[in-house]
Amino acid sequence: MTVADMTINSAPRVAARKTRQRSRLPWLMSPALIFVIACLLFPLAMMLRYSLNHYDPAELMVSALTAENYLKFFSDSFYQEVLWRTVGISVLSTVICLVAGVPVAYFLARYTSALYKRVLLLLILVPLLIGNVVRTSAWMLILNDTGVLAAFLGLFGYTGRLNLMYTSTGVVIGLVSVLLPFMVITLNSVFEAIDHNLEDAASSLGAGHLTIMRQVVLPLALPGILAGSVLCLILAMNAYATPVLIGGPTFNMMAPIVYQQIAKAMNWPFGAALAFVLMAATLVMTIGVSAVVQNKYRKWSE
Amino acid sequence: MRKTFPEIQNPLRRSVLGLMATGAASAILMPRMVLAQQKTIVVSNWGGDWNDRTVKFMEKPLLEDRGYKIVHDLGMEPERKAKLISEKRVRRASADVIHINSSDAFELKRQEVVADLDLARIPNYANIAERLKSPYFVPWLYSGVVIIYNKDKVKNPPRSYAELWDPKWAGRLGLTSQLYFNYMMMASLVAKGNMTSVDEGKPLIEKLIAEVKPKLYAAHQQLQAGLANGEVDIAVNYKARGLQWARDGQNLAIQYPEDGAISVIFGACLARFAAHADAGYAYLDAMLDPTAMANLSAASLYAPSNTKAVLSDEVRKEIDFTEEERAKMHFLDYAYVADNTSKWLEWWNKSFAA
């Protein structure tokens, strides 16, 4: 047998093996798939079914096929206000995270030594190692009228009330502190992936810092900026601990209202409907933002 | 012929998966088998100092030291209630005994997840104050919703619930959202003198919000802090809590409302599908032990349900209610509360929304 024969003969064998391996590949997905179906899709389907049931104080949940829970949401201005407040707070927190996160992430990617960067990234990560509730409790100690911030401002002669606890400002501060690390870490990896030579090239062609940022870096980073923003937005829309602890009992956002209906009022059908409304709103915003940004990105990059 | 990697892997993977499945199954089954062998009681209770005192004065000396093994499921009552109700379909209960207040107990009974009690198996039940008794609930400790005020800053406290509506208390009153339905009851009392006129009381709550501008706290710990740092000077809460805060060093006094305090009763139920019902009965009887109850009352500052609990005169005077106060006390119409509580919660949220 010549070498040429072997090559000719082995080629289909290799191809066959590859096909065989490829046909097995979907099996690699099966653990994740089973997990997603059993732990996400099935409970979601159940919740969807619950949301169409009827609530009765004596029976709690009566099997039915009614849209009354959704109608209740759309006919009651209180719940719509809660949804709009949730959307507003989430968008505002995300924008603040973006504005605050981009410079930090860019600085980390471009202007720090490897060791320094590792230390700084670790510092940014440290808050994530502490539970959200614990961090938010610390914010309560800082923000309240007789708290750390008030004492600090007192050193400079400020004695008025801060009025930060139980307000939307307080909740935004709390949310930004929770979300900022996610934004910085996502953006940092995006900036890292952008070839430094591109900026040097732009610079050598006479572009200033702002032009480089606007024309080169930001367009390239746009998909990453989108990913970070969507991540923050989703987390903010579904935030529970921050609105409950810093917002207090009179500040209503969607996730605490869902919890209240399910656990306190035992009104599972309405709670499930609220959960679906929240999910739908988050989904619409996520897809909407992605579509707009990608459209713009295409134009930008052309 | 050289074997491909997946071919070598396959038998190994199968045996690994098999082993994992066995492991998972035994992990699920084992605790139940072990629990069945010992005299185990699974107790669903609030956490924190409530549970610490339960363990210290009752569970440890009366049960654990006598060979029972107690497993705790600690949490706030909404979660614990929801758990029991959602387990109804599979006809099992993850807890044998559930600590709960009397109105939640009614709701659980109506959902048929707690059992009617065989009182013959709870000998101590006979000594419970008559007004507290119920066929499915073991009343344990009780208190009343009273007016708690800062002694330094309030010289002439409101003497009744009705006097809280006086605009002179504007900005000085603190409430907790946990007790929302007690406040709805309070308005019902002020409006019509009974506990079933919440609809007539609603305009009064709106008036209170508009004129007295009460500060609403999420939990009693925050209300306590509010009283301490001067955010509010008057609170409407359980007498036992007022006494606890005073014991913590706050300069507070208690005013029993002249229109009669709304009662709050804490106790326990036996789960209908309890896996260890016999041990559960032993637990319920131990709860009512007169000595344990006296110690618990002295520590928690809640009044004991067992009339045989031996309190020193000093402690009784501090924590218990006088005969007259007890006679004036208002008890909830549980069915009325259970039918409306979901609506009230919604109404309350909307009325107080920022």
Side-chain angles (χ1 to χ4, degrees), chain B residues 71-353:
Chain B
V71 180
H72 289 111
D73 174 15
L74 304 179
M76 294 304 284
E77 71 275 19
E79 290 91 353
R80 298 188 290 113
K81 262 169 63 187
K83 201 189 260 183
L84 213 57
I85 291 172
S86 55
E87 284 166 350
K88 183 167 93 170
R89 284 165 193 233
V90 290
R91 299 182 73 79
R92 52 167 288 192
S94 55
D96 302 313
V97 172
I98 177 165
H99 282 261
I100 207 93
N101 69 36
S102 55
S103 57
D104 283 337
F106 177 87
E107 216 179 311
L108 290 180
K109 179 68 188 119
R110 199 156 72 164
Q111 293 305 315
E112 296 175 327
V113 294
V114 297
D116 269 321
L117 298 171
D118 178 1
L119 297 183
R121 300 177 73 179
I122 313 174
N124 282 321
Y125 205 94
N127 300 325
I128 287 179
E130 222 36 62
R131 288 191 79 179
L132 305 177
K133 284 183 176 173
S134 135
Y136 52 83
F137 178 63
V138 174
W140 196 30
L141 298 166
Y142 74 102
S143 195
V145 176
V146 298
I147 296 157
I148 302 162
Y149 61 95
N150 183 324
K151 272 197 282 193
D152 296 331
K153 291 161 91 177
V154 183
K155 292 300 170 206
N156 292 310
R159 308 238 151 244
S160 62
Y161 289 144
E163 283 182 27
L164 291 167
W165 267 260
D166 192 330
K168 75 177 171 191
W169 306 123
R172 302 178 71 184
L173 178 65
L175 305 176
T176 61
S177 60
Q178 282 172 330
L179 298 194
Y180 73 94
F181 84 71
N182 285 297
Y183 303 134
M184 308 276 293
M185 289 290 149
M186 186 171 89
S188 158
L189 269 177
V190 173
K192 290 277 168 195
N194 62 44
M195 300 271 280
T196 49
S197 305
V198 166
D199 283 334
E200 286 83 348
K202 281 178 181 173
L204 280 180
I205 297 263
E206 282 163 352
K207 187 166 176 250
L208 189 78
I209 296 172
E211 291 177 9
V212 184
K213 300 181 181 64
K215 256 199 156 74
L216 189 65
Y217 293 90
H220 62 89
Q221 289 89 342
Q222 278 127 336
L223 174 60
Q224 179 184 12
L227 276 170
N229 66 28
E231 272 176 15
V232 290
D233 300 322
I234 301 168
V236 181
N237 214 303
Y238 304 152
K239 180 181 177 183
R241 288 208 181 123
L243 294 172
Q244 281 164 13
W245 300 338
R247 192 183 269 189
D248 289 347
Q250 288 177 242
N251 197 20
L252 300 173
I254 306 281
Q255 171 67 44
Y256 184 91
E258 280 166 5
D259 21 22
I262 297 161
S263 67
V264 52
I265 312 166
F266 296 100
C269 291
L270 183 72
R272 180 174 158 212
F273 301 112
H276 319 96
D278 291 338
Y281 272 109
Y283 186 95
L284 295 177
D285 194 47
M287 278 174 75
L288 298 175
D289 179 86
T291 316
M293 194 166 260
N295 292 336
L296 249 161
S297 284
S300 68
L301 306 172
Y302 281 91
S305 66
N306 188 337
T307 49
K308 294 277 189 306
V310 195
L311 296 179
S312 70
D313 287 346
E314 196 187 342
V315 172
R316 190 173 288 281
K317 190 160 173 274
E318 186 192 7
I319 67 174
D320 213 347
F321 295 91
T322 64
E323 211 48 61
E324 190 198 351
E325 285 171 348
R326 207 173 299 141
K328 271 201 209 165
M329 213 171 232
H330 299 283
F331 289 85
L332 301 172
D333 180 331
Y334 296 124
Y336 177 67
V337 172
D339 282 341
N340 292 296
T341 178
S342 163
K343 268 189 287 178
W344 292 341
L345 178 64
E346 201 168 23
W347 185 87
W348 178 265
N349 281 336
K350 289 179 185 174
S351 306
F352 266 92

Side-chain angles (χ1 to χ4, degrees), chain A residues 156-200:
Chain A
F156 303 98
Y158 181 83
T159 51
R161 287 187 100 90
L162 291 177
N163 281 333
L164 285 173
M165 274 302 282
Y166 312 127
T167 62
S168 43
T169 317
V171 174
V172 171
I173 294 175
L175 275 177
V176 168
S177 83
V178 170
L179 302 177
L180 199 52
F182 291 103
M183 185 65 103
V184 172
I185 288 160
T186 315
L187 289 180
N188 179 57
S189 59
V190 174
F191 286 133
E192 295 269 0
I194 297 173
D195 193 342
H196 201 264
N197 287 329
L198 293 172
E199 289 156 67
D200 291 343

Side-chain angles (χ1 to χ4, degrees), chain A residues 34 138 237:
Chain A
I34 290 169
M237 287 286 287

